[in-house]
Amino acid sequence: MENGTRLISISPAETRIPEDVYAQLESVIWEEVNKTGDPEGALASYIYPFENIQKISESDNVEYKESIRTMADDIWSQEAWLDALLIYYILMHIITYIPPDFYKLAYTLGKLNRVDLAQKLIEVYEKNSTNKKVTLHAIANFYYTAVNIPYKAIEYFEQYLKIDDQNPQIYNTLGHLYGSIDDEVSNHKQLDAFLRAYELDPTDGTIVKSLLTAYEKRHNDEKVKEFYPKLLSIAPSPRHSLNYGLYLISWGEFQKGHKYFTERFDLDNYPIGYPKSILGGGAKWNYQDDISDKTLVIHYEEGFGDSIM
């Protein structure tokens, strides 16, 4: 198939796609295909449907057409955005879209940085989707994760909460979105959202960590002292222990702080260890024994240097 040539020459079976969006899709496809550096390889799996699109469209084999939709959904779930664009483009020529198809094509275009086209399609999804609760959540997620427009994501999540105000994860997500706006009003809303999420589910480690982040941002040591032990009891991890240890040391609780601080050696993405070559087999201080008559070797990777600084 020659680069830039018309991929499909028949009219789409799906007629609700805005004409200006449809008119640009092939150009978008060719641009994205050429970005791969191997346009022939990128299109190889789709040559048959492109060359036989009219026959497939006119076929009464609904099962086969639905199998293409299933394939499209699977590719979309794998976040293979170019392949998703290609197969949803084929799909619109052989069968009428259901609302999730509009959404997934819009999301795909958003992930490919075609924000204007994506937003026009999400409007079609909103107009045709009948489950308001599902629709509001999906559109909020589209603006949050596909096109990164926080104020629009906030708008739709807030509408969602008017229908269901018992979902802690929505409040948690809203809290992070308010934080991305970063003004005084949004910062207050962030804390309120995290507190509501915690009220609904005080056993969720992600929510407790979000609330802690808000208190840390406000330098509220009293609340940080209250919630770090809660976080460690719900979702223990070397990273959380390290952070708590740093706080304890900063508050002057050195013995307790170093107990947690030493878990820095268990961080998966920060492989460090005691400098054995420097210690030469000598004993490590347990932070308790009197060492007033000893010489203490301090090495920056032991964490003592960080503590002193």
Side-chain angles (χ1 to χ4, degrees):
M1 186 172 289
E2 189 175 344
N3 201 316
T5 58
R6 186 80 178 158
L7 295 169
I8 293 177
S9 57
I10 67 170
S11 298
E14 177 49 67
T15 59
R16 291 168 291 178
I17 293 175
E19 290 184 8
D20 60 330
V21 174
Y22 180 77
Q24 296 179 65
L25 286 177
E26 288 219 358
S27 295
V28 171
I29 288 172
W30 277 114
E31 287 176 22
E32 295 299 327
V33 163
N34 286 322
K35 284 180 186 177
T36 68
D38 180 19
E40 186 175 338
L43 290 172
S45 299
Y46 305 97
I47 296 299
Y48 176 82
F50 279 140
E51 292 182 346
N52 295 273
I53 196 71
Q54 184 162 348
K55 182 170 69 174
I56 298 171
S57 177
E58 294 173 351
S59 168
D60 294 328
N61 191 341
V62 177
E63 184 177 348
Y64 174 70
K65 294 178 181 180
E66 287 295 339
S67 72
I68 294 178
R69 172 177 283 134
T70 300
M71 187 187 305
D73 292 345
D74 184 55
I75 289 172
W76 184 85
S77 68
Q78 295 175 41
E79 301 184 2
W81 304 122
L82 174 55
D83 288 295
L85 175 60
L86 286 163
I87 199 162
Y88 277 110
Y89 185 61
I90 290 168
L91 188 68
M92 73 176 64
H93 289 88
I94 63 174
I95 199 168
T96 301
Y97 270 12
I98 57 176
D101 297 331
F102 289 110
Y103 178 80
K104 290 176 181 178
L105 179 56
Y107 196 99
T108 297
L109 288 166
K111 297 300 283 188
L112 292 171
N113 294 317
R114 312 289 175 159
V115 177
D116 182 57
L117 299 179
Q119 286 186 274
K120 289 178 179 179
L121 276 175
I122 212 68
E123 290 172 5
V124 180
Y125 165 72
E126 184 172 14
K127 187 183 298 183
N128 287 278
S129 185
T130 56
N131 187 322
K132 189 173 183 180
K133 181 178 173 180
V134 170
T135 302
L136 292 172
H137 187 281
I139 296 175
N141 190 60
F142 164 81
Y143 280 114
Y144 183 29
T145 61
V147 296
N148 190 27
I149 304 178
Y151 78 92
K152 291 293 288 184
I154 289 171
E155 174 189 333
Y156 279 93
F157 275 128
E158 287 180 339
Q159 288 184 52
Y160 175 95
L161 288 174
K162 292 177 182 178
I163 299 173
D164 176 8
D165 64 355
Q166 299 298 307
N167 189 324
Q169 295 303 326
I170 299 298
Y171 285 103
N172 190 57
T173 300
L174 256 178
H176 289 290
L177 282 164
Y178 288 136
S180 70
I181 303 297
D182 198 25
D183 58 35
E184 187 174 351
V185 173
S186 296
N187 285 337
H188 282 299
K189 287 185 175 181
Q190 179 189 55
L191 182 57
D192 289 343
F194 287 152
L195 283 168
R196 178 60 175 152
Y198 179 72
E199 179 186 348
L200 289 168
D201 189 356
T203 63
D204 187 303
T206 302
I207 290 172
V208 175
K209 184 65 177 73
S210 295
L211 186 54
L212 254 172
T213 300
Y215 286 133
E216 288 173 324
K217 185 177 179 180
R218 289 159 177 76
H219 306 290
N220 189 332
D221 286 356
E222 182 181 343
K223 288 297 183 181
V224 171
K225 286 180 181 179
E226 177 185 346
F227 278 93
Y228 251 114
K230 291 181 180 181
L231 177 63
L232 289 169
S233 69
I234 295 168
S237 76
R239 172 59 62 188
H240 295 157
S241 292
L242 169 59
N243 291 343
Y244 185 40
L246 287 169
Y247 272 114
L248 288 167
I249 291 168
S250 73
W251 298 327
E253 299 181 42
F254 299 110
Q255 183 172 317
K256 185 177 179 182
H258 277 294
K259 172 188 172 184
Y260 288 97
F261 192 85
T262 54
E263 291 202 32
R264 72 192 302 231
F265 300 107
D266 297 323
L267 294 173
D268 292 334
N269 60 343
Y270 191 27
I272 57 176
Y274 285 103
K276 294 182 175 59
S277 59
I278 294 176
L279 289 173
K284 291 185 295 185
W285 184 36
N286 61 12
Y287 320 121
Q288 298 177 22
D289 293 345
D290 182 1
I291 58 169
S292 58
D293 62 338
K294 301 287 195 300
T295 298
L296 180 65
V297 178
I298 298 175
H299 186 272
Y300 72 99
E301 276 300 351
E302 288 184 52
F304 294 111
D306 294 343
S307 302
I308 292 169
M309 288 189 287

PDB file of all heavy atoms in Angstrom, residues 45-60:
ATOM      1  N   SER A  45      -0.775  -5.965   9.225  1.00  0.00           N
ATOM      2  CA  SER A  45      -1.868  -6.795   9.756  1.00  0.00           C
ATOM      3  C   SER A  45      -3.238  -6.338   9.276  1.00  0.00           C
ATOM      4  O   SER A  45      -4.237  -7.032   9.500  1.00  0.00           O
ATOM      5  CB  SER A  45      -1.847  -6.776  11.291  1.00  0.00           C
ATOM      6  OG  SER A  45      -0.634  -7.298  11.782  1.00  0.00           O
ATOM      7  N   TYR A  46      -3.299  -5.162   8.625  1.00  0.00           N
ATOM      8  CA  TYR A  46      -4.595  -4.579   8.276  1.00  0.00           C
ATOM      9  C   TYR A  46      -4.822  -4.485   6.765  1.00  0.00           C
ATOM     10  O   TYR A  46      -5.823  -3.939   6.323  1.00  0.00           O
ATOM     11  CB  TYR A  46      -4.711  -3.182   8.914  1.00  0.00           C
ATOM     12  CG  TYR A  46      -4.493  -3.226  10.404  1.00  0.00           C
ATOM     13  CD1 TYR A  46      -3.239  -2.938  10.946  1.00  0.00           C
ATOM     14  CD2 TYR A  46      -5.510  -3.623  11.261  1.00  0.00           C
ATOM     15  CE1 TYR A  46      -3.020  -3.019  12.309  1.00  0.00           C
ATOM     16  CE2 TYR A  46      -5.296  -3.703  12.626  1.00  0.00           C
ATOM     17  CZ  TYR A  46      -4.050  -3.406  13.144  1.00  0.00           C
ATOM     18  OH  TYR A  46      -3.835  -3.501  14.491  1.00  0.00           O
ATOM     19  N   ILE A  47      -3.884  -5.026   5.994  1.00  0.00           N
ATOM     20  CA  ILE A  47      -4.018  -4.959   4.542  1.00  0.00           C
ATOM     21  C   ILE A  47      -5.292  -5.659   4.062  1.00  0.00           C
ATOM     22  O   ILE A  47      -6.043  -5.129   3.234  1.00  0.00           O
ATOM     23  CB  ILE A  47      -2.788  -5.579   3.847  1.00  0.00           C
ATOM     24  CG1 ILE A  47      -1.529  -4.771   4.176  1.00  0.00           C
ATOM     25  CG2 ILE A  47      -2.994  -5.650   2.336  1.00  0.00           C
ATOM     26  CD1 ILE A  47      -1.575  -3.336   3.732  1.00  0.00           C
ATOM     27  N   TYR A  48      -5.557  -6.852   4.611  1.00  0.00           N
ATOM     28  CA  TYR A  48      -6.744  -7.594   4.149  1.00  0.00           C
ATOM     29  C   TYR A  48      -8.035  -6.818   4.396  1.00  0.00           C
ATOM     30  O   TYR A  48      -8.827  -6.619   3.465  1.00  0.00           O
ATOM     31  CB  TYR A  48      -6.821  -8.975   4.812  1.00  0.00           C
ATOM     32  CG  TYR A  48      -8.079  -9.722   4.427  1.00  0.00           C
ATOM     33  CD1 TYR A  48      -8.156 -10.414   3.218  1.00  0.00           C
ATOM     34  CD2 TYR A  48      -9.215  -9.685   5.256  1.00  0.00           C
ATOM     35  CE1 TYR A  48      -9.329 -11.071   2.846  1.00  0.00           C
ATOM     36  CE2 TYR A  48     -10.383 -10.338   4.885  1.00  0.00           C
ATOM     37  CZ  TYR A  48     -10.439 -11.030   3.676  1.00  0.00           C
ATOM     38  OH  TYR A  48     -11.597 -11.661   3.296  1.00  0.00           O
ATOM     39  N   PRO A  49      -8.299  -6.349   5.631  1.00  0.00           N
ATOM     40  CA  PRO A  49      -9.558  -5.601   5.809  1.00  0.00           C
ATOM     41  C   PRO A  49      -9.612  -4.310   4.996  1.00  0.00           C
ATOM     42  O   PRO A  49     -10.677  -3.938   4.507  1.00  0.00           O
ATOM     43  CB  PRO A  49      -9.607  -5.315   7.313  1.00  0.00           C
ATOM     44  CG  PRO A  49      -8.231  -5.561   7.805  1.00  0.00           C
ATOM     45  CD  PRO A  49      -7.622  -6.565   6.910  1.00  0.00           C
ATOM     46  N   PHE A  50      -8.493  -3.633   4.824  1.00  0.00           N
ATOM     47  CA  PHE A  50      -8.505  -2.418   4.013  1.00  0.00           C
ATOM     48  C   PHE A  50      -8.859  -2.733   2.553  1.00  0.00           C
ATOM     49  O   PHE A  50      -9.652  -2.026   1.930  1.00  0.00           O
ATOM     50  CB  PHE A  50      -7.147  -1.712   4.075  1.00  0.00           C
ATOM     51  CG  PHE A  50      -6.948  -0.875   5.311  1.00  0.00           C
ATOM     52  CD1 PHE A  50      -5.727  -0.855   5.954  1.00  0.00           C
ATOM     53  CD2 PHE A  50      -7.985  -0.114   5.832  1.00  0.00           C
ATOM     54  CE1 PHE A  50      -5.534  -0.088   7.101  1.00  0.00           C
ATOM     55  CE2 PHE A  50      -7.808   0.666   6.971  1.00  0.00           C
ATOM     56  CZ  PHE A  50      -6.584   0.670   7.609  1.00  0.00           C
ATOM     57  N   GLU A  51      -8.275  -3.793   2.034  1.00  0.00           N
ATOM     58  CA  GLU A  51      -8.502  -4.142   0.625  1.00  0.00           C
ATOM     59  C   GLU A  51      -9.865  -4.792   0.393  1.00  0.00           C
ATOM     60  O   GLU A  51     -10.346  -4.817  -0.741  1.00  0.00           O
ATOM     61  CB  GLU A  51      -7.384  -5.065   0.139  1.00  0.00           C
ATOM     62  CG  GLU A  51      -6.028  -4.365   0.048  1.00  0.00           C
ATOM     63  CD  GLU A  51      -4.934  -5.275  -0.479  1.00  0.00           C
ATOM     64  OE1 GLU A  51      -5.159  -6.517  -0.512  1.00  0.00           O
ATOM     65  OE2 GLU A  51      -3.851  -4.771  -0.839  1.00  0.00           O
ATOM     66  N   ASN A  52     -10.467  -5.328   1.458  1.00  0.00           N
ATOM     67  CA  ASN A  52     -11.747  -6.037   1.302  1.00  0.00           C
ATOM     68  C   ASN A  52     -12.862  -5.384   2.126  1.00  0.00           C
ATOM     69  O   ASN A  52     -13.850  -6.042   2.467  1.00  0.00           O
ATOM     70  CB  ASN A  52     -11.577  -7.504   1.731  1.00  0.00           C
ATOM     71  CG  ASN A  52     -10.628  -8.262   0.841  1.00  0.00           C
ATOM     72  OD1 ASN A  52     -11.034  -8.803  -0.191  1.00  0.00           O
ATOM     73  ND2 ASN A  52      -9.354  -8.313   1.229  1.00  0.00           N
ATOM     74  N   ILE A  53     -12.712  -4.110   2.405  1.00  0.00           N
ATOM     75  CA  ILE A  53     -13.632  -3.455   3.318  1.00  0.00           C
ATOM     76  C   ILE A  53     -15.069  -3.443   2.827  1.00  0.00           C
ATOM     77  O   ILE A  53     -16.010  -3.612   3.609  1.00  0.00           O
ATOM     78  CB  ILE A  53     -13.151  -2.014   3.632  1.00  0.00           C
ATOM     79  CG1 ILE A  53     -13.867  -1.470   4.872  1.00  0.00           C
ATOM     80  CG2 ILE A  53     -13.320  -1.099   2.433  1.00  0.00           C
ATOM     81  CD1 ILE A  53     -13.449  -2.094   6.150  1.00  0.00           C
ATOM     82  N   GLN A  54     -15.269  -3.277   1.527  1.00  0.00           N
ATOM     83  CA  GLN A  54     -16.631  -3.233   1.009  1.00  0.00           C
ATOM     84  C   GLN A  54     -17.312  -4.591   1.164  1.00  0.00           C
ATOM     85  O   GLN A  54     -18.478  -4.675   1.573  1.00  0.00           O
ATOM     86  CB  GLN A  54     -16.648  -2.790  -0.454  1.00  0.00           C
ATOM     87  CG  GLN A  54     -18.064  -2.648  -1.002  1.00  0.00           C
ATOM     88  CD  GLN A  54     -18.125  -1.825  -2.270  1.00  0.00           C
ATOM     89  OE1 GLN A  54     -17.162  -1.181  -2.640  1.00  0.00           O
ATOM     90  NE2 GLN A  54     -19.266  -1.845  -2.928  1.00  0.00           N
ATOM     91  N   LYS A  55     -16.578  -5.645   0.842  1.00  0.00           N
ATOM     92  CA  LYS A  55     -17.134  -6.991   0.963  1.00  0.00           C
ATOM     93  C   LYS A  55     -17.466  -7.302   2.428  1.00  0.00           C
ATOM     94  O   LYS A  55     -18.525  -7.860   2.731  1.00  0.00           O
ATOM     95  CB  LYS A  55     -16.128  -8.019   0.430  1.00  0.00           C
ATOM     96  CG  LYS A  55     -16.633  -9.446   0.480  1.00  0.00           C
ATOM     97  CD  LYS A  55     -15.714 -10.388  -0.281  1.00  0.00           C
ATOM     98  CE  LYS A  55     -14.388 -10.560   0.413  1.00  0.00           C
ATOM     99  NZ  LYS A  55     -13.528 -11.578  -0.241  1.00  0.00           N
ATOM    100  N   ILE A  56     -16.589  -6.916   3.338  1.00  0.00           N
ATOM    101  CA  ILE A  56     -16.838  -7.152   4.761  1.00  0.00           C
ATOM    102  C   ILE A  56     -18.041  -6.346   5.221  1.00  0.00           C
ATOM    103  O   ILE A  56     -18.909  -6.835   5.957  1.00  0.00           O
ATOM    104  CB  ILE A  56     -15.596  -6.785   5.596  1.00  0.00           C
ATOM    105  CG1 ILE A  56     -14.405  -7.666   5.210  1.00  0.00           C
ATOM    106  CG2 ILE A  56     -15.888  -6.926   7.085  1.00  0.00           C
ATOM    107  CD1 ILE A  56     -13.085  -7.234   5.826  1.00  0.00           C
ATOM    108  N   SER A  57     -18.124  -5.086   4.775  1.00  0.00           N
ATOM    109  CA  SER A  57     -19.220  -4.210   5.181  1.00  0.00           C
ATOM    110  C   SER A  57     -20.571  -4.739   4.712  1.00  0.00           C
ATOM    111  O   SER A  57     -21.564  -4.675   5.443  1.00  0.00           O
ATOM    112  CB  SER A  57     -18.993  -2.806   4.612  1.00  0.00           C
ATOM    113  OG  SER A  57     -20.070  -1.960   4.922  1.00  0.00           O
ATOM    114  N   GLU A  58     -20.623  -5.279   3.500  1.00  0.00           N
ATOM    115  CA  GLU A  58     -21.874  -5.764   2.918  1.00  0.00           C
ATOM    116  C   GLU A  58     -22.242  -7.167   3.386  1.00  0.00           C
ATOM    117  O   GLU A  58     -23.345  -7.647   3.143  1.00  0.00           O
ATOM    118  CB  GLU A  58     -21.783  -5.725   1.398  1.00  0.00           C
ATOM    119  CG  GLU A  58     -21.688  -4.298   0.843  1.00  0.00           C
ATOM    120  CD  GLU A  58     -21.421  -4.278  -0.661  1.00  0.00           C
ATOM    121  OE1 GLU A  58     -21.137  -5.374  -1.238  1.00  0.00           O
ATOM    122  OE2 GLU A  58     -21.473  -3.195  -1.271  1.00  0.00           O
ATOM    123  N   SER A  59     -21.311  -7.819   4.066  1.00  0.00           N
ATOM    124  CA  SER A  59     -21.550  -9.188   4.524  1.00  0.00           C
ATOM    125  C   SER A  59     -22.625  -9.223   5.618  1.00  0.00           C
ATOM    126  O   SER A  59     -22.788  -8.289   6.396  1.00  0.00           O
ATOM    127  CB  SER A  59     -20.248  -9.778   5.067  1.00  0.00           C
ATOM    128  OG  SER A  59     -20.498 -10.986   5.753  1.00  0.00           O
ATOM    129  N   ASP A  60     -23.370 -10.350   5.653  1.00  0.00           N
ATOM    130  CA  ASP A  60     -24.366 -10.575   6.696  1.00  0.00           C
ATOM    131  C   ASP A  60     -23.769 -11.299   7.904  1.00  0.00           C
ATOM    132  O   ASP A  60     -24.491 -11.656   8.838  1.00  0.00           O
ATOM    133  CB  ASP A  60     -25.535 -11.409   6.148  1.00  0.00           C
ATOM    134  CG  ASP A  60     -26.319 -10.652   5.084  1.00  0.00           C
ATOM    135  OD1 ASP A  60     -26.395  -9.415   5.192  1.00  0.00           O
ATOM    136  OD2 ASP A  60     -26.855 -11.308   4.165  1.00  0.00           O
TER     137      ASP A  60
END
